Amino acid sequence: MLVGNGVTNWEYDCTPAFFHMSYYHGLISDDLFTKVNANCNLTYFDSPNPPPLSDQCVQWMNRFANVTSLVNVYDVFGKCWPPSMPNGKQQVEVTDEPEPFYTAEKLTPFLGRKNLKVTPPCVYAAPILSYFNNPIVRAQLKISPNASTWDLCASDFNYTQSMNATQWIWPILRGRYKLLKYSGDTDGAVPTWGTQQWIASLNWPVKEAWRPYYIYNIYGQQVAGYVEVRDGLTFVTVHGAGHMAPQFKRQPTYNAIFKFIKGEPL
């Protein structure tokens, strides 16, 4: 089983981890970090039934939301694309690599955006929305004229969040299947730090200590990320990748996943 940047334990994942990550990535001040850490319990912040915060903590967390509002939560070092460009211009990326089109918002409804029909903030979305809703394209793809408008995020499905999230399934699967958890380390939606915390809470013995793994490209040997192997679980980070790691860092993610499938060491 392979899971990438997935919510597993509300105690650590999402906002608690993003707040921690934001400080160590230079997004928030020493003052805000110190005050919140000393006075506010952020565990289970994004869970179905979050514990109440004091009025002061709410003010501090609103401040946190304000200073990070234009940070792309899916890739904290990436661009924050506006919903539309001024003067009728289209969102166009000028780069040697194609800009990822898709979003994992449908996989991360827990970030407080209950209306999934809204395009997620900072996502490069306008051209793909325009393309898939173009009548000519829809006709060529044999899409029924009665079909609804295509959206990045859908809300017409039956899904109930649970307070215990999904960590409970990992011990059940241990020993029955090979387990890989990988994490793009610039993801602010489900940050690496939170994943490290719930993995540590399993208390599964470490068989191979934390170390870098590498890829080779035209520049020679490069750090692709880091790997730690526990009894029953392999944890891999993808260095410089956001929430959708295979989109942001194709070669390192491909390398990690297929070596795991083939039983080859990273």
Side-chain angles (χ1 to χ4, degrees):
M1 182 178 78
L2 299 84
V3 178
N5 288 84
V7 173
T8 309
N9 187 324
W10 294 119
E11 182 175 357
Y12 310 110
D13 283 329
C14 306
T15 297
F18 185 39
F19 185 80
H20 183 277
M21 175 189 185
S22 294
Y23 178 68
Y24 289 101
H25 283 69
L27 304 181
I28 60 175
S29 67
D30 289 337
D31 177 65
L32 181 59
F33 182 74
T34 301
K35 287 177 177 176
V36 171
N37 265 356
N39 299 282
C40 310
N41 180 7
L42 299 184
T43 59
Y44 299 95
F45 187 94
D46 302 285
S47 69
N49 297 297
L53 294 177
S54 68
D55 291 343
Q56 181 61 77
C57 287
V58 169
Q59 289 182 25
W60 287 330
M61 291 308 291
N62 285 339
R63 181 179 169 192
F64 169 61
N66 287 336
V67 298
T68 59
S69 63
L70 289 182
V71 173
N72 187 337
V73 72
Y74 298 106
D75 179 14
V76 298
F77 294 135
K79 297 179 180 66
C80 181
W81 294 95
S84 61
M85 300 296 284
N87 302 321
K89 295 180 180 178
Q90 294 294 314
Q91 292 178 340
V92 177
E93 168 69 299
V94 181
T95 179
D96 293 333
E97 298 181 4
E99 180 71 15
F101 281 152
Y102 307 110
T103 173
E105 177 71 6
K106 63 182 179 181
L107 303 178
T108 53
F110 44 80
L111 293 177
R113 304 176 193 113
K114 302 304 182 184
N115 183 2
L116 296 188
K117 304 295 282 187
V118 176
T119 300
C122 296
V123 171
Y124 183 70
I128 197 72
L129 285 167
S130 176
Y131 178 80
F132 279 117
N133 287 308
N134 185 305
I136 297 175
V137 172
R138 289 168 66 92
Q140 291 174 336
L141 293 176
K142 309 300 183 184
I143 296 173
S144 169
N146 299 322
S148 61
T149 300
W150 189 86
D151 279 303
L152 285 171
C153 306
S155 58
D156 52 349
F157 56 89
N158 185 15
Y159 178 77
T160 301
Q161 296 182 31
S162 170
M163 283 295 290
N164 61 1
T166 61
Q167 183 168 329
W168 59 273
I169 195 66
W170 291 80
I172 295 174
L173 298 177
R174 182 188 186 193
R176 300 175 62 185
Y177 301 96
K178 294 168 56 178
L179 304 176
L180 172 69
K181 180 68 181 229
Y182 66 88
S183 176
D185 65 11
T186 68
D187 178 25
V190 189
T192 298
W193 183 85
T195 301
Q196 290 176 290
Q197 303 313 300
W198 72 256
I199 288 177
S201 75
L202 293 171
N203 290 317
W204 294 357
V206 175
K207 297 176 66 175
E208 294 182 29
W210 184 274
R211 61 170 174 81
Y213 69 96
Y214 304 95
I215 56 170
Y216 292 85
N217 57 26
I218 61 173
Y219 305 106
Q221 187 182 48
Q222 305 291 323
V223 172
Y226 294 83
V227 58
E228 179 183 76
V229 180
R230 292 178 177 258
D231 185 12
L233 169 65
T234 298
F235 175 57
V236 171
T237 71
V238 184
H239 186 51
H243 187 75
M244 299 79 85
Q247 290 178 271
F248 294 115
K249 292 289 182 178
R250 297 171 181 82
Q251 184 185 0
T253 309
Y254 181 96
N255 179 67
I257 288 175
F258 280 93
K259 283 197 170 184
F260 174 77
I261 291 173
K262 294 176 182 178
E264 300 174 0
L266 280 175

